[in-house]
Amino acid sequence: MRTSILERIAASAKRSGRRPEDICLTAVSKQQPDEQVSAVLAAGQNVFGENRVQEAQTRWTEQFADARQQIELRLIGPLQTNKAVNACALFDVIETLDREKLAKALVKAIDTTGCQPEIFVQVNTGEEPQKSGVIPRDLDAFIKTMRQTYDLHPTGLMCIPPAGTLISGQAPGPHFALLAKLAKRNGIKNLSMGMSGDFETAIEFGATHVRVGSALFGERD
Ligand SMILES: *Cc1c(COP(=O)(O)O)cnc(C)c1O
């Protein structure tokens, strides 16, 4: 399965005049049984995404502790301030910075742990009330505050377009285009966008990181 996903990534990269090696496949291992994770690791996958701190801790410091040093681990789910220390200690990249209160907690956690995770900012491109993420019109000011007040320097933006956009006829493309535009005008180079159903579209709009779960591992438990 991994090979076919990599082939699809390469094909969409070529279609949009990009280099396949500029697109990172993040294997979203949340809620996957150990056998599936083992198989994907054995196939050579070395970047993984998790959406819950505790589940990730169990997986990557217990079951798969041996593999932890060989992989890059990315937090792609919402982060509570009381888990900031654990998240900093565990993850190489935190993709879901979305509020000032969390920035404060992260700065403290970075100081406490001595760890320096790379930071992405999550953007709520669809302005959905139930979804986390900075809304687009607040993003420029938010990034500025991160840099000037917190000395945090996000290297990427992340988004999850409204669910069912394909079914409801509202394509994800405009959300990806918006994220790319916001990143560009803030001097940010990485774009984490695209999941199992839409990663090829995301690549055409400039994704540097695609987060693929079910298409890679099979449906979750
Ligand atoms: C679960 C999840 C994914 C992967 O979803 P699939 O549709 O299974 O590929 C990607 N991004 C985030 C933020 C997720 O929570």
Side-chain angles (χ1 to χ4, degrees), residues 28 30 51 76-77 158 160 194-197 211-215 220:
V28 179
K30 69 179 186 200
N51 73 331
I76 60 170
M158 179 271 215
I160 310 168
M195 321 200 322
S196 290
R211 309 178 307 267
V212 181
S214 44
R220 284 178 284 279

